Amino acid sequence: MILHKLEYLRKKTILLASQSPRRREILRLLGLEPVVVPSGFDEESLDKGVFVTPAAYAEENSRRKAFAVLEKLKDRNALKVETEPLKPDFIVSSDTIVVLDGHILEKPTDEGDAFRMLQLLSGRKHLVISAVTVLNVINLESRTFHMETEVEFAELTPEETWAYIRTGEPMDKSGAYGIQGYGGALVRRIEGDFFCVMGLPMHEFCKVLSEMLD
Amino acid sequence: MILHKLEYLRKKTILLASQSPRRREILRLLGLEPVVVPSGFDEESLDKGVFVTPAAYAEENSRRKAFAVLEKLKDRNALKVETEPLKPDFIVSSDTIVVLDGHILEKPTDEGDAFRMLQLLSGRKHLVISAVTVLNVINLESRTFHMETEVEFAELTPEETWAYIRTGEPMDKSGAYGIQGYGGALVRRIEGDFFCVMGLPMHEFCKVLSEMLD
């Protein structure tokens, strides 16, 4: 665990390779204030067909994002805080996917696609997988892991589904919903780590980071 | 479900009989902006011994809180928004308890008590029960329900336990932890509704409120 190392960790500079406000919020729950550096890596550029499992695909995505940020660091002018170049200690990246019947649900392409996905999820269980990479910028040690959480959706009528789509929330989210928003009302129960569904499994992340600090 | 009724519901005045910022946050996730009116009811004034189950005790607590706020409404001078008397439509109250081996863990009395509770929870599963009352102030219809969520704690060394106590987070919380904070790092997995652990089971609350709007 990590709580007895938080004071030490707060002095470190952590780059978060994600623009997700939810992941940032999870780090803030730990009292950490990461610097957000979007990786620029296109999550959907990998060929899913070459991966044995959806989890392996998510893990590779998270690794690519972390190392894309490491590449950016080589260009000292690219990453500055005000006029000072960044001197980060860790890069943290994460990739979250929604899996139904072994198939990965991406972000919806339009509202009709969101409707199709939400109706697929309605009244059933699916998996949310979050893969995380922690990369120590000083010694280049890296750790990648993933967590799976089962999510049981409420049954949604077409009317309720369109009401949810009209909130605008589904459009930028894998599987067309977010649990930390209106979407929370659609989730009957989960088995696993809630923070995995939010985008960064907090307990396992703390455990891994803690081991890397030893 | 409720999403297709949210627009209608947003025009209603909801009193939240709780000072918990986490419960308020859950209502805000739904786009609702409740007026916080502490009930003044002493949660620990009921004799636990007379209740058949911990859930029945939590339900009675939530009922008492809602009706205590209803009493306050009778004194028109007591509840005003600026100079206008409040004209609420619904009162929402909730009581959350932590149950280990059938025994209810209260808020810790001091840091030593928090240490004792956290060591009891360490490496084991416990139940979090949130009971909710929704009271329609116009027709006095009320509904009370509860949800249970199983929480599996990480193993905590004494050092980690004290580090958590030093954050100050455990002292005002039932069972000496909060999941929406540093405490999130202590939770290995849950089975049930995350929002139940946060203090207000969002899905079931939406379902019940939706039925009351019909």
Side-chain angles (χ1 to χ4, degrees):
Chain A
M1 287 301 308
I2 196 122
L3 294 180
H4 57 303
K5 297 175 184 168
L6 278 180
E7 222 158 301
Y8 170 76
L9 198 60
R10 278 194 201 113
K11 294 176 200 143
K12 303 290 179 187
T13 301
I14 296 175
L15 304 189
L16 177 61
S18 169
Q19 285 181 292
S20 151
R22 293 165 295 280
R23 292 190 181 121
R24 196 173 174 187
E25 195 191 315
I26 292 170
L27 293 180
R28 280 184 173 158
L29 290 179
L30 294 167
L32 304 176
E33 196 49 71
V35 180
V36 172
V37 181
S39 69
F41 176 71
D42 176 7
E43 317 196 334
E44 293 174 12
S45 66
L46 295 178
D47 176 7
K48 290 179 197 63
V50 306
F51 295 95
V52 184
T53 59
Y57 165 73
E59 287 203 352
E60 185 60 17
N61 261 334
S62 83
R63 258 189 298 269
R64 297 284 185 111
K65 289 182 194 177
F67 283 91
V69 170
L70 187 67
E71 279 301 308
K72 282 192 178 181
L73 286 179
K74 291 182 183 165
D75 179 1
R76 294 183 71 83
N77 291 315
L79 292 175
K80 288 184 176 181
V81 174
E82 291 175 4
T83 56
E84 287 295 302
L86 266 177
K87 286 184 183 145
D89 301 283
F90 291 98
I91 297 169
V92 176
S93 65
S94 179
D95 189 55
T96 299
I97 58 175
V98 171
V99 181
L100 184 74
D101 300 331
H103 297 286
I104 298 172
L105 299 187
E106 313 277 0
K107 291 171 186 169
T109 51
D110 54 33
E111 295 197 341
D113 197 31
F115 182 82
R116 183 188 62 84
M117 284 186 191
L118 289 164
Q119 284 292 303
L120 278 175
L121 299 175
S122 169
R124 297 188 55 197
K125 290 179 180 175
H126 63 270
L127 277 185
V128 176
I129 300 176
S130 276
V132 177
T133 293
V134 184
L135 172 57
N136 181 326
V137 180
I138 311 300
N139 64 14
L140 295 184
E141 183 198 355
S142 81
R143 290 274 300 270
T144 298
F145 67 90
H146 76 272
M147 296 295 284
E148 301 187 358
T149 295
E150 194 177 76
V151 177
E152 185 182 326
F153 241 57
E155 292 203 25
L156 299 180
T157 64
E159 185 192 7
E160 289 160 350
T161 308
W162 282 119
Y164 181 48
I165 293 169
R166 276 195 303 272
T167 66
E169 192 173 277
M171 296 318 293
D172 64 337
K173 307 221 167 43
S174 302
Y177 78 96
I179 201 166
Q180 191 73 342
Y182 299 112
L186 312 179
V187 171
R188 207 180 270 149
R189 55 184 283 122
I190 71 168
E191 287 189 31
D193 185 341
F194 172 82
F195 298 102
C196 172
V197 188
M198 257 181 90
L200 188 70
M202 193 166 165
H203 171 70
E204 194 67 18
F205 168 70
C206 287
K207 213 172 112 188
V208 166
L209 190 55
S210 188
E211 287 164 10
M212 291 176 77
L213 290 176
D214 283 338
Chain B
M1 286 301 308
I2 198 128
L3 294 180
H4 57 300
K5 297 176 184 167
L6 278 180
E7 223 159 301
Y8 170 75
L9 197 60
R10 279 194 199 112
K11 294 178 200 141
K12 303 291 178 186
T13 301
I14 296 176
L15 304 189
L16 177 60
S18 168
Q19 285 182 291
S20 151
R22 292 164 295 281
R23 290 189 182 122
R24 197 174 174 186
E25 196 191 314
I26 292 170
L27 292 180
R28 280 185 175 159
L29 289 179
L30 293 167
L32 303 176
E33 195 49 72
V35 179
V36 173
V37 180
S39 69
F41 175 71
D42 177 5
E43 314 196 336
E44 292 174 11
S45 66
L46 295 177
D47 176 7
K48 290 179 196 64
V50 306
F51 295 94
V52 184
T53 58
Y57 165 75
E59 287 203 353
E60 185 60 17
N61 260 335
S62 84
R63 258 189 297 269
R64 297 283 185 112
K65 289 182 194 175
F67 283 91
V69 170
L70 188 67
E71 278 302 307
K72 282 192 179 180
L73 286 178
K74 291 182 182 164
D75 178 2
R76 294 184 71 83
N77 290 315
L79 292 176
K80 287 184 176 180
V81 174
E82 290 175 4
T83 57
E84 288 295 303
L86 267 177
K87 286 183 184 146
D89 300 284
F90 290 98
I91 297 169
V92 175
S93 64
S94 179
D95 189 55
T96 300
I97 57 175
V98 170
V99 181
L100 184 74
D101 299 333
H103 296 288
I104 298 172
L105 299 186
E106 312 278 1
K107 292 172 185 170
T109 52
D110 55 31
E111 295 195 343
D113 197 32
F115 183 82
R116 183 188 63 84
M117 285 185 191
L118 290 164
Q119 284 292 302
L120 278 175
L121 298 175
S122 169
R124 297 188 55 199
K125 290 179 180 176
H126 63 269
L127 276 186
V128 175
I129 300 176
S130 277
V132 176
T133 293
V134 183
L135 172 57
N136 180 327
V137 181
I138 311 300
N139 64 14
L140 295 184
E141 183 198 357
S142 81
R143 289 275 299 271
T144 299
F145 68 90
H146 76 273
M147 295 295 283
E148 301 187 358
T149 295
E150 195 177 74
V151 177
E152 185 183 325
F153 241 58
E155 292 204 26
L156 297 181
T157 64
E159 185 192 8
E160 288 160 351
T161 308
W162 282 118
Y164 181 48
I165 292 168
R166 276 195 303 273
T167 66
E169 192 173 276
M171 296 317 294
D172 64 337
K173 306 220 168 45
S174 303
Y177 77 95
I179 200 166
Q180 190 73 340
Y182 299 112
L186 312 179
V187 171
R188 208 179 270 148
R189 55 185 283 123
I190 71 168
E191 286 189 32
D193 184 342
F194 172 83
F195 298 103
C196 172
V197 189
M198 257 181 90
L200 188 70
M202 192 165 164
H203 171 69
E204 193 68 19
F205 168 71
C206 287
K207 213 173 112 186
V208 166
L209 189 56
S210 188
E211 287 163 10
M212 290 175 77
L213 290 176
D214 282 340

